């Protein structure tokens, strides 16, 4: 009996350490996405994507759990990022991004992200995340994500720049579509955001004089 108790205490201690120092639920959900995508993804080599299919919405559903809440009993801000992140991973897996990386090498990272919160989410509130590729340039894909609650209200919207490393977007497009199709036009929001990213890069590299930086900030505040 004493040995059984020791084993149980050891298991509980290991679980406590895992959940204290590792985001266990994130890893579990990531693995579930990877497994599920193997059965849901499209064979794009036999059935290439059209532009409309490549840029369509991918939908994920979720619910606000007690562990998602902040001290004000709303879903905390970081949880929005995590849910959007998992939705992007799910989209990438279903489209076949990982298959292309496996064949050609390289990898992708989040180069930039911008989120707007429009309404807080409460305990056990359900939501949908719609994720889609909006456009691309030589080095990155630009993704729009919307978190939608009851009556179709968009509670949050996020724009993400998925930067390619060691591979170009042209390789992906040729694999997905069978040819190098041109990128759709960016939305007004993404176009404006991309311009702000370019200005930020120039500023951080010291290419924009301080006076111009102050003028740009003042213009944005008007």
């Amino acid at each position: 009996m004493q040995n059984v108790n020791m084993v149980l205490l050891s298991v509980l201690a290991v679980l406590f350490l895992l959940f204290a120092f590792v985001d266990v639920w994130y890893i579990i959900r990531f693995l579930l996405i990877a497994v599920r995508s193997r059965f849901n993804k499209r064979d794009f080599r036999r059935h290439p994507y059209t532009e409309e299919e490549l840029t369509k919405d991918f939908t994920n559903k979720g619910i606000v759990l007690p562990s998602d809440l902040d001290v004000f009993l709303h879903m905390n801000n970081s949880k929005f990022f995590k849910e959007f992140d998992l939705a992007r991973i799910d989209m990438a897996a279903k489209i076949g991004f990982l298959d292309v990386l496996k064949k050609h090498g390289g990898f992708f990272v989040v180069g930039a992200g911008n989120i707007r919160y429009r309404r807080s989410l409460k305990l056990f509130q359900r939501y949908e995340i719609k994720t889609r590729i909006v456009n691309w340039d030589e080095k990155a894909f630009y993704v729009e994500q919307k978190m939608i609650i009851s009556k179709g209200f968009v509670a949050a919207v996020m724009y993400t720049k998925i930067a390619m490393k060691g591979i170009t977007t042209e390789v992906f497009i040729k694999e997905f579509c069978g040819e190098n199709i041109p990128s759709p036009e960016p939305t007004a929001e993404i176009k404006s955001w991309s311009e702000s990213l370019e200005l930020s890069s120039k500023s951080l590299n010291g290419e924009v004089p301080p006076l111009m930086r102050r003028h740009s900030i003042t213009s944005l505040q008007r």
Side-chain angles (χ1 to χ4, degrees):
M1 187 66 179
Q2 186 175 3
N3 290 336
V4 173
N5 290 337
M6 288 298 296
V7 170
L8 288 175
L9 286 174
S10 298
V11 171
L12 289 174
V14 170
L15 288 175
F16 173 80
L17 291 173
L18 277 174
F19 278 88
F21 296 102
V22 180
D23 195 343
V24 178
W25 291 123
Y26 179 88
I27 295 173
I28 291 174
R29 292 177 65 188
F30 179 89
L31 293 175
L32 287 174
I33 287 172
V35 172
R36 188 173 65 237
S37 69
R38 294 184 64 87
F39 301 98
N40 294 336
K41 67 182 178 181
R42 174 170 169 170
D43 185 356
F44 54 83
R45 294 183 177 88
R46 295 179 60 187
H47 305 285
Y49 290 101
T50 63
E51 179 187 313
E52 291 75 17
E53 291 171 330
L54 189 61
T55 56
K56 73 174 185 178
D57 285 328
F58 287 81
T59 302
N60 298 81
K61 297 183 179 182
I63 185 172
V64 181
L65 299 175
S67 59
D68 302 332
L69 301 179
D70 58 20
V71 294
F72 301 107
L73 301 182
H74 299 147
M75 190 164 89
N76 69 71
N77 295 341
S78 62
K79 180 65 176 179
F80 283 82
F81 281 95
K82 186 177 295 184
E83 292 303 308
F84 281 136
D85 185 42
L86 287 168
R88 287 195 306 273
I89 292 171
D90 185 59
M91 178 197 70
K94 287 178 179 176
I95 290 177
F97 272 79
L98 302 182
D99 293 329
V100 176
L101 291 177
K102 184 177 179 180
K103 178 179 178 180
H104 294 278
F107 60 97
F108 55 83
V109 297
V110 174
N114 181 64
I115 190 169
R116 182 190 174 198
Y117 303 101
R118 302 185 68 225
R119 183 171 295 177
S120 59
L121 273 65
K122 300 178 180 179
L123 181 63
F124 299 130
Q125 187 168 0
R126 295 183 179 277
Y127 57 85
E128 285 186 347
I129 295 178
K130 292 191 177 294
T131 304
R132 71 183 183 100
I133 297 172
V134 177
N135 67 293
W136 56 86
D137 56 30
E138 182 182 353
K139 299 180 179 179
F141 287 94
Y142 295 86
V143 176
E144 177 190 75
Q145 295 178 280
K146 294 178 180 179
M147 183 175 285
I148 302 171
I149 55 177
S150 59
K151 298 181 180 179
F153 186 84
V154 179
V157 59
M158 183 171 186
Y159 301 106
T160 308
K161 177 182 179 181
I162 308 297
M164 303 294 110
K165 302 294 181 180
I167 189 172
T168 64
T169 57
E170 181 179 345
V171 174
F172 282 95
I173 299 304
K174 284 183 176 179
E175 287 280 359
F176 293 149
C177 304
E179 58 181 336
N180 186 27
I181 63 174
S183 169
E185 286 295 316
T187 60
E189 295 91 340
I190 287 186
K191 184 177 180 180
S192 179
W193 179 54
S194 298
E195 291 172 355
S196 74
L197 292 179
E198 292 180 11
L199 179 62
S200 175
S201 295
K202 291 179 180 179
S203 177
L204 293 171
N205 291 328
E207 299 175 16
V208 179
L211 182 61
M212 185 178 294
R213 290 204 296 270
R214 288 198 296 270
H215 175 72
S216 299
I217 293 173
T218 302
S219 299
L220 290 172
Q221 291 175 340
R222 290 176 180 174

